[in-house]
C-alpha cells in the first residue's frame, strides 16, 4: 500500500479519536526489506524508520543518513546487552527496554556518553512466556527503577498476542503509561494500527502494509 494511503488512514484514525493531527508518529518498519523499497519511501520524504536487528541497521543506515538528512531510526527488536553500546550509537530511540540488566548497561553507557536514546519500556501485556517485556504487574516498579538510574524513559511499548483482540492490550498499555506519567505509547502494527490510535498510540510500527511482505528473516 502506498505510504500516502497509510498516512491518510492515520490522519483519519486521529480525527475519529478526536486527537490532534500529527499526534501519531509513523515508524516505517524496514527490517529485512529490499533496499529499493526503503529508498522509495525515503524519496517520498518519510524520515522515521524501525529496525529489529543491530547488525542489519549498522549495515544499512549510515549511508542513508548521509543521503537523506533528518532520518531517525528506532530499535524495535529485542536488544542483547552486549549490543547496547552499539545500539545507543545507531538509534534515536529504543523501544525494547525489558529487563534490569539491560537498564544498567544503558545507564552506564549513558553516563559515559552524556547522551541516551529515548527509551520505551516493553510490557508483555499478554504475559506470554516466549515474549519479551516486563509483566504488567511489575511495570510500575521497573519504570521507577529505570528513572532512578536517570534513564530517559519516554513511554511504553507492547506487542499483543497473535490471534487475540489487541484492544484490551492497547487499553492496558495506555493505563500503564498514564499512571506512570509517560506520554509515549508505542503500539499498533500493520493489522491493527487504527485500533491502537483509538487507544492513544503515539508511535505506530508499520512494516508490511507499507513495504509489502517480508522475506524470511536473515537471522
Ligand atoms: C516487524 C515488527 C513490526 C511491523 O510488523 P508489520 O506487521 O509488518 O507491520 C512492528 N513491531 C515490531 C516489534 C516488529 O518486530
Amino acid at each position: 500500500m502506498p505510504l500516502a494511503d497509510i498516512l491518510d488512514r492515520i490522519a483519519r484514525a486521529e480525527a475519529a479519536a478526536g486527537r490532534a493531527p500529527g499526534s501519531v508518529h509513523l515508524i516505517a518498519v524496514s527490517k529485512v526489506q529490499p533496499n529499493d523499497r526503503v529508498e522509495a519511501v525515503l524519496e517520498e520524504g518519510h524520515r522515521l524508520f524501525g529496525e529489529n536487528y543491530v547488525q542489519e541497521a549498522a549495515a544499512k543506515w549510515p549511508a542513508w543518513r548521509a543521503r537523506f538528512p533528518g532520518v531517525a531510526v528506532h530499535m524495535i527488536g529485542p536488544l542483547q546487552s552486549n549490543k547496547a553500546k552499539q545500539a545507543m550509537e545507531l538509534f534515536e530511540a529504543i523501544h525494547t527496554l525489558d529487563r534490569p540488566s539491560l537498564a544498567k548497561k544503558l545507564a552506564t553507557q549513558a553516563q559515559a556518553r552524556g547522551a541516551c536514546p529515548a527509551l520505551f519500556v516493553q510490557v508483555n501485556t499478554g504475559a506470554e512466556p516466549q515474549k519479551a517485556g516486563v509483566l504488567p504487574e511489575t511495570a510500575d516498579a521497573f519504570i521507577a527503577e529505570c528513572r532512578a538510574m536517570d534513564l530517559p524513559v519516554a513511554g511504553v511499548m507492547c506487542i499483543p498476542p497473535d490471534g487475540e483482540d489487541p484492544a484490551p492490550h492497547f487499553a492496558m498499555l495506555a493505563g500503564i503509561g498514564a499512571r506512570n506519567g509517560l506520554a509515549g505509547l508505542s503500539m499498533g502494527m500493520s493489522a491493527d494500527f487504527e485500533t491502537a490510535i483509538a487507544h492513544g498510540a503515539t508511535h505506530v510500527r508499520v512494516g508490511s502494509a507499507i513495504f509489502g511482505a517480508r522475506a524470511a528473516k536473515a537471522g
Side-chain angles (χ1 to χ4, degrees), residues 62-147:
W64 281 332
R65 283 183 190 276
R67 272 175 65 195
F68 300 97
V71 159
V73 187
H74 289 195
M75 173 62 170
I76 63 168
L79 181 56
Q80 294 167 251
S81 295
N82 63 5
K83 300 223 170 95
K85 180 169 188 275
Q86 197 184 359
M88 292 175 84
E89 289 157 2
L90 277 171
F91 301 108
E92 276 78 10
I94 295 171
H95 290 235
T96 48
L97 173 51
D98 63 352
R99 58 195 190 279
S101 59
L102 180 59
K104 287 192 188 95
K105 193 89 184 218
L106 292 170
T108 305
Q109 292 297 331
Q111 289 272 322
R113 299 176 72 228
C116 187
L119 301 174
F120 289 73
V121 168
Q122 182 173 356
V123 183
N124 186 356
T125 56
E128 297 173 274
Q130 81 287 6
K131 199 166 269 178
V134 297
L135 292 171
E137 58 269 27
T138 61
D140 296 359
F142 182 61
I143 291 164
E145 194 180 339
C146 292
R147 284 174 160 158

Side-chain angles (χ1 to χ4, degrees), residues 27 29 31 33 51-53 76-78 96 122 157-159 186 188-191 204-210 212 214:
I27 301 175
V29 178
K31 64 175 176 223
Q33 292 286 355
E51 290 286 347
N52 284 58
Y53 312 104
I76 63 168
T96 48
Q122 182 173 356
M157 176 272 211
C158 76
I159 307 170
S186 170
M189 308 182 9
S190 289
V204 294
R205 310 177 308 265
V206 179
S208 45
I210 297 173
R214 282 181 292 274

Side-chain angles (χ1 to χ4, degrees), residues 33-43 64 211:
Q33 292 286 355
N35 285 352
D36 58 337
R37 291 190 196 168
V38 182
E39 285 185 16
V41 169
L42 282 160
E43 298 284 1
W64 281 332
F211 297 107

